[in-house]
């Protein structure tokens, strides 16, 4: 699989770099983990498209053609999703054990305190979909993971939604990069367009999270 990934050829360490960035992103939200996932998928897809153009026989062979690209994208998506859940659980456990310290840190920020309160209410109502939505929002993952730990939500409450959030985010990011590389080749545009789409999804998620809940009519 690795020999046909263009600039990624012979460097499976790129998966380790992407994974590390995703794990640390929950503590340092400014890390461009999403951009790295999109860029890796775009580069792999673009390199594969270029190779297919040079070698029509290769493109016509299922094993080395579309199936090969999908296998590479699936590996990247699973790697990103696994790293996402791992980072969530590390933050969750640290916040659980140091609850008072994290609680004071969250209380100093009105925005984070409000987000923590809303998260607790949503999870208690079974609205864990907020965890999935927050995964796309800037710093939303940090608030959710740390907030769940501080609030002492059970693993049974948090882990399934964290896994779903990681899979949804990874699948979306890798799909953006894959189609960008396949349709736009290896130019800078093929990375810029998917990254903009990733940021657009984050802005939309942030808007939905901030939107006030409708009060029931009396």
């Amino acid at each position: 699989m690795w020999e046909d990934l263009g600039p990624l050829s012979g460097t499976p360490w790129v998966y380790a770099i992407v994974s590390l960035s995703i794990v640390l992103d929950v503590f340092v939200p400014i890390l461009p983990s999403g951009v790295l996932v999109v860029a890796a998928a775009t580069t792999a897809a673009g390199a594969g498209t270029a190779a297919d153009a040079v070698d029509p026989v290769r493109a016509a062979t299922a094993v080395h053609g579309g199936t090969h690209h999908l296998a590479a994208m699936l590996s990247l998506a699973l790697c990103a999703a696994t790293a996402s859940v791992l980072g969530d659980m590390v933050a969750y456990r640290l916040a659980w054990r140091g609850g008072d310290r994290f609680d004071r840190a969250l209380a100093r920020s009105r925005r984070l305190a409000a987000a923590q309160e809303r998260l607790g209410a949503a999870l208690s109502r079974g609205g864990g979909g907020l965890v999935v939505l927050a995964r796309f929002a800037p710093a939303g993952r940090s608030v959710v993971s740390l907030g769940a730990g501080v609030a002492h939500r059970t693993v049974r409450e948090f882990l399934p939604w964290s896994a779903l959030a990681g899979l949804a985010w990874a699948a979306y990011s890798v799909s953006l990069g894959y189609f960008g590389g396949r349709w736009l080749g290896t130019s800078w545009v093929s990375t810029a367009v998917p990254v903009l789409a990733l940021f657009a999804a984050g802005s939309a998620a942030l808007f939905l999270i901030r939107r006030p809940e409708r009060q029931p009519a009396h």
Side-chain angles (χ1 to χ4, degrees), residues 49-138:
T49 301
D52 289 345
V54 172
D55 188 356
V57 175
R58 176 186 182 278
T61 304
V63 174
H64 296 289
T67 303
H68 168 82
H69 296 309
L70 292 178
M73 295 303 106
L74 180 60
S75 297
L76 180 60
L78 290 177
C79 179
T82 301
S84 179
V85 176
L86 177 60
D88 287 355
M89 294 308 298
V90 170
Y92 164 80
R93 283 299 186 185
L94 288 176
W96 179 292
R97 294 178 179 178
D100 292 340
R101 182 176 57 190
F102 279 101
D103 203 20
R104 289 193 297 268
L106 290 174
R108 285 195 292 268
S109 171
R110 185 182 308 172
R111 177 180 174 186
L112 293 179
Q116 179 190 0
E117 181 179 355
R118 185 172 181 185
L119 168 66
L123 288 177
S124 65
R125 296 193 307 268
L130 177 64
V131 178
V132 180
L133 188 62
R135 184 62 184 85
F136 291 83

Side-chain angles (χ1 to χ4, degrees), residues 5-81:
L5 296 187
L8 302 182
S9 175
T11 57
W13 283 103
V14 69
Y15 280 33
I17 294 172
V18 169
S19 297
L20 181 62
S21 175
I22 294 171
V23 170
L24 296 179
D25 182 70
V26 70
F27 301 103
V28 189
I30 61 173
L31 289 177
S33 60
V35 175
L36 288 179
V37 174
V38 170
T42 301
T43 303
T49 301
D52 289 345
V54 172
D55 188 356
V57 175
R58 176 186 182 278
T61 304
V63 174
H64 296 289
T67 303
H68 168 82
H69 296 309
L70 292 178
M73 295 303 106
L74 180 60
S75 297
L76 180 60
L78 290 177
C79 179

